Amino acid sequence: AVVAVVVALPTSLGRALHPVRHADQIEASCERHGVDPLLACAVIECESGWDEGAVSPVGAVGLMQVMPDTRSLVSLGLVDDDAYDPDDLADPMTNIEYGCAYLGYLQEHLSGLEEVIAAYNAGIGAVQGWISEGGTIPEDVEYAETRAYLDRVLAAYEAYQDSYPSGITGA
């Protein structure tokens, strides 16, 4: 019989495995949009592996793999396009602002963490469709990619919570 043992990693090792870059920008954007900075870090880790130059096959850009059609966040008044140019999503500061604004938007329109994470991957319309038919997240996620994404982000989020108990800018 195989026995699995879960061991909490010392904070320093956890931080080595789960880095944080641009902590001040993440903190500021998360504060503006009511998002947990540790969740934003987990999304960044799973979306781009902290690669500022990442571009997906479908055109998502940067750390948080923001889609170029996020101009709607400007029209909704969630992002100041004078401070964060939507044409410069490859810029880490701009990318973090748009990604955190989108996470905040999802939090306002969905009812739980798992729904928010699934919607960041699959889109809010897909998630609302799944739950409008009496479905729940994660049980009724129809996309295998989104189910896997949800598991990865939740695991990363837990690792960031364990590794940064005082927050990403704390000691």
Side-chain angles (χ1 to χ4, degrees):
V2 175
V3 176
V5 177
V6 177
V7 178
L9 295 173
T11 302
S12 59
L13 179 56
R15 288 181 179 191
L17 295 172
H18 303 283
V20 172
R21 297 183 192 100
H22 309 291
D24 291 338
Q25 178 64 34
I26 292 169
E27 286 273 354
S29 290
C30 285
E31 186 172 327
R32 273 190 292 282
H33 301 291
V35 174
D36 181 350
L38 298 170
L39 175 60
C41 290
V43 168
I44 291 170
E45 180 173 294
C46 293
E47 286 287 347
S48 69
W50 295 93
D51 178 0
E52 296 172 8
V55 179
S56 79
V58 296
V61 177
L63 290 170
M64 297 189 79
Q65 291 292 279
V66 177
M67 292 296 290
D69 65 3
T70 53
R71 293 182 196 287
S72 60
L73 295 171
V74 173
S75 65
L76 291 169
L78 298 176
V79 176
D80 176 0
D81 63 343
D82 290 330
Y84 301 98
D85 183 351
D87 292 326
D88 195 16
L89 291 174
D91 171 66
M93 303 310 132
T94 300
N95 193 277
I96 290 166
E97 182 67 15
Y98 278 84
C100 290
Y102 187 49
L103 282 171
Y105 174 82
L106 294 172
Q107 286 180 170
E108 288 179 22
H109 292 88
L110 297 168
S111 62
L113 177 65
E114 291 177 332
E115 290 179 14
V116 168
I117 294 168
Y120 196 89
N121 179 261
I124 191 169
V127 171
Q128 288 173 328
W130 298 330
I131 59 179
S132 72
E133 299 168 2
T136 59
I137 307 300
E139 292 78 12
D140 295 303
V141 171
E142 294 178 12
Y143 307 151
E145 175 190 333
T146 301
R147 280 194 303 275
Y149 177 81
L150 178 59
D151 290 342
R152 284 194 323 272
V153 174
L154 287 171
Y157 186 37
E158 185 176 330
Y160 275 95
Q161 290 171 322
D162 291 344
S163 300
Y164 297 87
S166 301
I168 59 173
T169 57

